[in-house]
Amino acid sequence: MMCCAACGTAEVDDIKLRKCTACYLVKYCSVECQKEHRPQHKKECKKRAAELRDEILFRQPESTHLGDCPICCLPLPLGRENCTIMECCSNTVCDGCYGANMIREQEQKLKHTCPFCRNPAPESSEDVEKNLIKRMEVNDAAAIFQMGWRMFHHEKDYKSSFEYYSKAAALGDIVAHNNLSVMYQKGEGVEKDDKRELYHWEEAAIGGHPEARFHLGFYEMQNGRADAAIKHFIIGANLGH
């Protein structure tokens, strides 16, 4: 029977214990007990939390950060030049599926539509802008990332770009994590921060970003941790780096 690590209260029908969310090794009956037990538990908790983080970090991702084409379900190619981001629904499709849709439309004399959502393609830059804003309003991570990319590369507004990338990353966009790490490294739009830089490299690597994985390997080599570096390089190579 599980008991509160601080006061020893047993977990019964009317008493529910909650696990320490950092290490998952112990349980507590209240926030007060958790705070009271913290000095005794801190060292063990930190050690186990680091072990759990490494288990996630050094796990081989099933695919790259780009994922699969939503139409043919095959892995998207690493080169962005071989896939197309649809401006209507923010989905990325491989050029094979995009080309097959174009051929079908030409043969059947159909109006051009998105190969995924079947909505008509935007006819003007104003329509593209409206679609982007619409997708952002429903917290579409890809659309928010696109706005961050535009702010960085076209407007040179690094502070706004950082804000958009941060929101996209919080919504799960892996490339946003990768770009945030670079911004923390160079101090673009935000103060330089080595810890945040490393955190976002790790999040991007966990999400299957080969370039982020390479950077982590290089970082470990510089710090004399060859075993960890080799693990990163192997995972990155398996992802196509």
Side-chain angles (χ1 to χ4, degrees):
M1 181 181 292
M2 289 295 297
C3 298
C4 174
C7 68
T9 298
E11 186 173 41
V12 292
D13 291 340
D14 59 336
I15 298 177
K16 300 296 182 183
L17 303 182
R18 295 183 179 182
K19 287 183 179 180
C20 170
T21 55
C23 68
Y24 299 98
L25 291 175
V26 296
K27 290 186 175 184
Y28 299 100
C29 64
S30 65
V31 175
E32 289 73 20
C33 276
Q34 185 173 10
K35 290 180 179 179
E36 182 182 338
H37 191 248
R38 181 62 180 165
Q40 299 168 254
H41 178 58
K42 185 176 180 180
K43 186 176 180 180
E44 181 186 27
C45 181
K46 191 174 181 179
K47 180 176 179 294
R48 181 53 184 160
E51 292 172 350
L52 290 173
R53 179 68 173 177
D54 282 351
E55 288 178 12
I56 297 172
L57 182 60
F58 291 109
R59 185 183 301 152
Q60 179 72 49
E62 294 183 1
S63 64
T64 71
H65 61 292
L66 297 175
D68 299 334
C69 171
I71 299 174
C72 66
C73 297
L74 293 175
L76 287 167
L78 283 177
R80 281 286 188 178
E81 65 275 7
N82 296 318
C83 51
T84 302
I85 300 175
M86 306 313 300
E87 295 171 331
C88 46
C89 59
S90 298
N91 278 292
T92 302
V93 302
C94 69
D95 280 357
C97 289
Y98 186 82
N101 184 60
M102 291 285 289
I103 294 172
R104 180 187 64 84
E105 291 172 339
Q106 291 172 2
E107 291 177 345
Q108 299 179 26
K109 295 181 171 54
L110 301 173
K111 186 177 180 180
H112 179 52
T113 60
C114 170
F116 181 77
C117 70
R118 299 303 187 191
N119 283 319
E123 296 181 355
S124 65
S125 57
E126 288 77 14
D127 289 338
V128 172
E129 188 72 16
K130 287 179 181 178
N131 280 339
L132 182 63
I133 298 300
K134 183 179 178 181
R135 299 304 305 171
M136 290 175 60
E137 287 175 349
V138 295
N139 285 331
D140 185 306
I144 295 170
F145 171 83
Q146 288 176 46
M147 182 61 79
W149 189 91
R150 180 193 297 180
M151 288 294 168
F152 188 95
H153 293 281
H154 292 173
E155 306 296 333
K156 305 300 180 183
D157 184 348
Y158 299 140
K159 186 174 181 180
S160 293
S161 176
F162 174 80
E163 292 174 355
Y164 284 118
Y165 280 158
S166 295
K167 187 172 182 179
L171 291 168
D173 192 285
I174 300 303
V175 185
H177 278 296
N178 182 74
N179 291 6
L180 283 170
S181 62
V182 176
M183 297 182 81
Y184 275 114
Q185 181 186 53
K186 297 182 178 180
E188 294 174 325
V190 66
E191 290 186 11
K192 290 184 178 182
D193 189 323
D194 293 341
K195 289 184 178 180
R196 298 300 296 172
E197 174 195 344
L198 181 60
Y199 167 77
H200 286 291
W201 282 135
E202 290 183 348
E203 288 298 303
I206 290 169
H209 200 294
E211 192 69 26
R213 186 66 69 172
F214 170 79
H215 279 288
L216 285 179
F218 186 73
Y219 171 82
E220 296 292 3
M221 285 292 290
Q222 285 186 314
N223 287 277
R225 294 186 286 268
D227 289 347
I230 290 171
K231 290 180 182 179
H232 285 305
F233 289 146
I234 290 174
I235 294 173
N238 288 337
L239 291 171
H241 190 279

